[in-house]
Amino acid sequence: MIGLWDTTGNEVVKALAAERRSAGGVASGMALTLIVVVDEKRVREAEAAATIAAAAHPCRLLVVVRSDVEREHNRLDAEIVVGGRLGPCEAVVTRMYGRLALHAESVVMPLLVPDVPVVTWWHAEPPEEIATDFLGVVADRRITDAAQAADPIEALRQRARDYAPGDTDLAWSRITPWRTLVAGAFDTTQARVTEATVVAPRTDPTAALMCGWLGGRLGIEPRWEHADDQPRMREVQLRCANGDELTLTREDSTAKFRRTGQADRDLPLVRRPLGDELAEELRRLDADQVYAEALGAAAGLSGLDDRPAQRVHVWKDPATARRAEAGVTTHASTNAPS
């Protein structure tokens, strides 16, 4: 590992090139560049997830930690790791302070692997509009995680309002095992589904996407039965036109599958680590039309996949916005009636 403190972007590029030369074959065959935007407290968690994902998708990992954008002096610290503890990837962890944090692309762009796709993953709350973050605009795929928002359901709605082909969310990856089991239940029947019920907490974004997916695929309006005593989605119930009922109920790491006229079966439904969910999203680098349909149905919007895939960067200074908001608040307080 190479540590560079109070350095420059040019020095980081030189140090990475030197480390690659010394690592030799370990650093060859990069399939993509993965940019991770993360808070300081979650850096190790993001590195652990990226290490799992890199085992399937060798990549250059660029971790961007932005801090204290109103700091008077700019500063850039960097750690460079090739191979070693992060597996078959090249990693550059950059910590940016002051106004430099608002221009992270000036450091990141020279570090992109030439001629390979770019994926940006926010392991934190993403910007309200991804076009305001150049690291999102430059990416072929953009990965968010609604579960990390204060209001996950509203976060999904915002992702739908701001959607462009190439966007996805880890809440979608988390229902892949559920979708696989539901789809597999129809391998031996052609019966049409007339009703669907999802049992889950009212703040569960996976349940919102499951309802959207069922609605989009089956042409029905699923019912969301709130079960706030459960930590996450617990059950999916389907009723068919021929009177059959199918139910999948989560029980720890398995699902109990019940179907009219058949014996109950236990099916695997393991909760996967974050790295496996990330690896799933890195398998495809084109737009996910099925996700777009499910997200649109969950948010009550249509035609998401018909939007332009190319984003145009919109500059926004969060420090200025915060100061303006504080000024409005202070002014309102001063003029409040006593």
Side-chain angles (χ1 to χ4, degrees):
M1 185 189 83
I2 297 177
L4 301 172
W5 316 119
D6 198 6
T7 187
T8 64
N10 190 42
E11 291 302 315
V12 173
V13 172
K14 290 180 181 178
L16 176 60
E19 190 70 359
R20 294 188 75 224
R21 285 194 295 270
S22 63
V26 176
S28 64
M30 297 293 103
L32 56 92
T33 299
L34 176 61
I35 303 171
V36 182
V37 183
V38 63
D39 298 329
E40 180 64 54
K41 62 183 179 182
R42 289 177 169 165
V43 170
R44 297 309 173 200
E45 185 179 313
E47 287 182 348
T51 299
I52 295 174
H57 311 280
C59 62
R60 178 173 292 174
L61 173 63
L62 305 178
V63 179
V64 176
V65 185
R66 296 176 169 125
S67 299
D68 194 9
V69 298
E70 297 188 55
R71 181 174 174 172
E72 184 178 352
H73 299 291
N74 297 326
R75 178 184 170 113
L76 170 65
D77 296 338
E79 299 173 54
I80 299 171
V81 181
V82 177
R85 64 183 177 86
L86 295 179
C89 73
E90 306 171 354
V92 181
V93 181
T94 58
R95 292 175 170 85
M96 304 179 192
Y97 305 89
R99 302 291 294 177
L100 174 64
L102 300 178
H103 301 279
E105 68 277 4
S106 64
V107 176
V108 170
M109 293 296 286
L111 297 172
L112 300 180
V113 179
D115 303 320
V116 300
V118 177
V119 179
T120 296
W121 168 39
W122 286 270
H123 189 47
E125 282 201 57
E128 184 176 353
E129 295 180 346
I130 287 176
T132 61
D133 189 339
F134 191 86
L135 299 182
V137 175
V138 75
D140 301 279
R141 285 277 274 173
R142 295 160 292 274
I143 304 173
T144 56
D145 190 350
Q148 294 192 5
D151 185 342
I153 304 304
E154 178 55 32
L156 270 187
R157 295 192 189 104
Q158 178 56 32
R159 296 279 62 82
R161 290 190 288 266
D162 186 49
Y163 179 85
D167 292 0
T168 190
D169 195 276
L170 290 179
W172 178 244
S173 310
R174 292 185 187 117
I175 63 169
T176 297
W178 282 95
R179 291 187 291 123
T180 300
L181 294 180
V182 170
F186 291 91
D187 286 345
T188 58
T189 183
Q190 298 296 321
R192 183 174 62 88
V193 176
T194 57
E195 297 178 31
T197 300
V198 174
V199 181
R202 71 184 69 230
T203 58
D204 188 349
T206 63
L209 288 176
M210 176 59 79
C211 288
W213 177 68
L214 290 171
R217 297 288 93 185
L218 302 174
I220 60 175
E221 187 70 33
R223 186 170 67 92
W224 185 347
E225 182 179 311
H226 296 147
D228 293 331
D229 59 329
Q230 301 293 323
R232 54 190 183 276
M233 186 163 60
R234 181 177 182 272
E235 191 169 86
V236 175
Q237 306 164 1
L238 303 174
R239 182 184 292 272
C240 302
N242 63 1
D244 283 359
E245 294 186 5
L246 296 79
T247 304
L248 278 167
T249 305
R250 184 198 295 272
E251 295 180 356
D252 295 326
S253 60
T254 62
K256 181 75 71 176
F257 177 60
R258 300 181 178 88
R259 183 171 185 168
T260 303
Q262 295 184 8
D264 294 353
R265 286 187 288 162
D266 290 324
L267 303 174
L269 189 63
V270 178
R271 191 175 187 185
R272 300 175 297 169
L274 179 62
D276 285 349
E277 296 167 353
L278 178 61
E280 177 185 325
E281 289 302 335
L282 296 181
R283 288 191 193 113
R284 62 177 303 160
L285 297 171
D286 58 336
D288 189 339
Q289 291 89 353
V290 180
Y291 166 70
E293 180 184 57
L295 179 64
L301 299 174
S302 60
L304 267 61
D305 204 51
D306 296 329
R307 296 179 182 178
Q310 185 176 7
R311 289 183 180 271
V312 177
H313 182 225
V314 178
W315 167 244
K316 183 179 181 180
D317 187 338
T320 302
R322 279 198 296 270
R323 285 195 294 268
E325 183 178 346
V328 169
T329 303
T330 302
H331 181 72
S333 299
T334 302
N335 291 281
S338 57

